[in-house]
Structure formats: C-alpha cells, structure tokens
Amino acid sequence: MTIVKHGDKKQMIVSSDINQLISLPEGQYFDRKSARIHLKDLARHICAFANASGGTIAVGIEDDGKVSGFKFDGSQDIEELQRCYIFQCEPAPIVSTRHIPVVNDNGEDDEVLLLDVAASNDCVIHRKDDKNVYLRVGDKSVALAHSQIMRLEYDKNQRIFEDEVVQWSNIEDIDHEVLDDYKQKIHGSDLSDEQVLRSRKFLIGDHLTNAGVLLFAKDPTQFLPQARVRVLRFEGNHMRTGRQINILKDQSFDSPIPKTIKNASALISSMLREFQYLGEDGRFGTIPEYPEFAWFEGLVNAVIHRDYAFQGDYIRISMYDDRLEVLSPGPLPNIVTLDNMRTTRYARNPRIARALVEFGWARELNEGVQRIYTEMQSAFLNDPVYSEPEHAKVQLTLENSITSRVLRNNDSLERQISPEVLHALSVYEMAAVQLAYAEGQVTVKKLTERINRSSRTVRKVLKGLRDKNVLQWHGSSPKDPSQYYSLNDRLGKSTVSE
C-alpha cells in the first residue's frame, strides 16, 4: 500500500499485486466487492470513500478473499461498474480505474477492477437516485443523518455555519459593551451599530448570524447552547467521581466570545502555581507552571477553531496537578492534520478569527501552534501533545511534569544535597525530595498520590528522610492536619556528608 496526495489530503492506494489484494484487511482505505454488486450499492461505497479520505475498491474479489473475477453468471458488466461513479454519484467524484489480470478460482484468465477514489475536499458527494450521503468509517460505509450531512458540508466549506442566520435573533440581543469595544478597535466609533454589523456580515436582514451571536450577543447560549467554555480544576492527576470527587473549581463562561476569553483566562491564571528553582546566584526564584502564551493560545485557538455546529458539547479546560488539557468539540478542520498543524493555516470560522484579530486576542500569522512548542521547550517542559479523541474532538495537553522539571535542574538540587546522598535515595525518597524542591513542601497526601502507595508507606519514607536530615518536619503535633515536610534549610554538602 502506498500513499499519494490529492491536494492536501493523503490517500492510500493499494498495490496491483493480487496476493496483497486478497490478504489486505478491509478498512478505512480499502474494500473488496464481488462483481455481482449492484450499481446502486457500489455507488454507496464510492460516495463514502470520496466523502472521507479516499480509498480503493477491488471489484471481483469476494469478502473471504476468493478471486471470483467477472466470468460467472450474475456478474455485472465491468464497463458499467467502472462508469458507476459518473452516472450514480453527484457530483461525480474523481475516480481512476485499473484492470488487473488474474486467474480466477475456476482456473480461467480473468480480471479484477480497481477503483481508486480520491477524497473530495470541497463538496459532499451523494448518491444520485436517492440523494443519500455516506461516509467511510473504519470498514463500513455509513449513511449520514441530516445533521451529520450539514457538519460534513461545513467541513468542506460547502456550507458556512458562521453565515447562517439565527431567525429568532435581532439587534436588540447585542451586548453593547462588547460591540462598542469592537467599534473602537476598528476605528468605527462614529458608525452605527447596524452599519458595523452589516459590514462584517454579522447582521443579515433583521437577524444576527451565528458568528454575530457568538461574538456579540449578550447570551449566546440562548441561541447556541453549546457555545460555552467550562474551566475545571482537579486535585491530583485524575478525575474522580462519587464520594471521592476531587473537583476544586468548576466554572462555566457563556458570554460573547471576547468576554469569555477575558474572564476564562483570568480564572485560569489565578489557579496556576509557581515552582521554585535555584538560580546561578544561589537564590531561589520562581517559574510559572506553564508559559502564559502556551495555555492562553490553546484557549484562543479552541474558541476560534471549534466546530460550533457540533451540538451537545462545549470547550473544556481541565487543570490537573501534572497537566492542563484543552478539549475542543469537532475534529481538525478540512486540510489540517495532526502531522501538518504546525505549518498549515486554516480557519474553520474565518469571520470569528478576523474579529478576534481586530480585538487583539489573536494574530493572523500562522505562528500560534509553533510558538506553543517553542515556549514549552524554553520553559524546559515536554512538547505539547495534540490528539483527536474519538476522531470527534481536538485536545491539547500541556504537561507540567514536576519530576521532569526537577530532573532537568538536578545540578541546582545537588547544590543543596550532596551527590552521594542524592544518588543513594530510593525511588520513593527521590519523589519526596523532588516534590519538596518543586513545591516548597511535601505532605503525606501529595506523596501518596505521586507514588501511588499507602499512607503508611509514605509516612515511613518521609520519616526516614527526616532521620537522614534531608527533610525537616513542620507541625504542632503528629495529628496536626496542616503538617508538612520541607527540604532542610540548614542542609549543605558538609552537613549531609557527615
């Protein structure tokens, strides 16, 4: 199987080797069909491949790999099958055909027809006779419902979600504080509200568009319930439920986009921690949990590029002890993939994107994702991780590994603890020291979460480090709920080595 490109989309093209055609598993890019297949059924699969990422259909091979060819009663005419995409699909997708000479299972010279279907980047392909739309999902050609077809049309720019009118909205729904700020930013304070909104197609006729609602309506969720951002802060590294629920903060923002960005970012900033480090001058300094640009750009990108036609879900910012996740509904837009997103610029919502550039919240240059990588690397943190959970969402993960941050600064740590003692510590003891170094203190609860061991084991570890004079204990009694340990502030190389 080889990879070719049609425009900016990759397509898998299978080999002409009959042995590979027999053994290759059916899936996202390949299917086998008997030559007895009806034209209407073949059209279903052609449409499905074209609406997804393209693929190849081998006609003349049974599902079990038997090479039946075309020389048997009940087979369709090969000429009609290879023209199927022209007469049965609308608009006609790009399909190239190959005739593969074979010997069929009856020992006769025969052939197999390969249909190489290119991905349709700019329009949805439907079956001509009934207007049904199909999409290739794994090894199935799935019929799409109306709402799914609309989303596919949005993704291919055949239908523009931003420009659709919200029939029950009007200019009275505008948040004038936001609109006045926008008018000032674009030097249009002398223009009427209606002039500004119409000039950017945020108002059509007497109604706001979806983009107008999202940017300027006092309550966008009145019209688009999915238009909100939820910020959650968890205690620990995992979400727990029931009696063990560990949500420390949970706040939703459903204002117009500019206010949502401002208020959500203020909350996130207030919950970020600072870590200690030892500078070259021997003094402790602080470094933020994540570079500000990285998490802020993640928030802005989610708001700009999310699929607002995707109902029933919303943007979520989840903050854990070791990472921050930005989850945005909808897959990556159009030509953007996980492989090319650092260099490819594409705005699913260009009107929203332009307005946020004019507000000063975003930039037109395609530098955001690349700069997130740069900022994380400059802060000695792991690269950001982008993923597509369930192929229906986009997630950015910023890791704040306390361990890796401390390990990168072991030379500073060794200024406090002699290398002999440091290197002799057990794995659990090292975890305790790293927590104390990074956060200024370590508690039984924190270390229990970090090493996933019982509190009894953790207490023994901390007591052992206290006995070694590596940690010092702070508290009024053994039952003091606020007790904690810190690095021994009198600890020096000579003290530890004694």
Side-chain angles (χ1 to χ4, degrees), residues 116-184:
D116 295 319
V117 184
S120 174
N121 291 331
D122 55 3
C123 64
V124 172
I125 309 296
H126 61 260
R127 194 161 60 183
K128 198 168 187 177
D129 64 342
D130 56 15
K131 307 301 182 185
N132 285 347
V133 175
Y134 302 92
L135 184 70
R136 191 69 178 181
V137 181
D139 61 354
K140 307 293 183 185
S141 295
V142 180
L144 299 186
H146 177 69
S147 60
Q148 295 171 312
I149 295 170
M150 288 180 64
R151 286 187 53 223
L152 191 61
E153 289 174 340
Y154 294 141
D155 198 44
K156 295 179 183 295
N157 270 348
Q158 191 172 344
R159 181 191 296 265
I160 308 299
F161 178 82
E162 286 186 306
D163 292 345
E164 292 190 2
V165 168
V166 182
Q167 292 293 343
W168 54 93
S169 69
N170 58 59
I171 200 167
E172 300 301 319
D173 296 306
I174 289 296
D175 183 322
H176 289 284
E177 181 183 354
V178 178
L179 183 56
D180 289 346
D181 184 29
Y182 181 65
K183 289 166 65 174
Q184 184 177 5

Side-chain angles (χ1 to χ4, degrees), residues 314-330:
Y314 44 83
I315 295 170
R316 283 194 296 282
I317 316 293
S318 300
M319 302 173 66
Y320 299 89
D321 283 357
D322 65 343
R323 69 193 185 282
L324 182 151
E325 296 174 350
V326 182
L327 189 69
S328 178

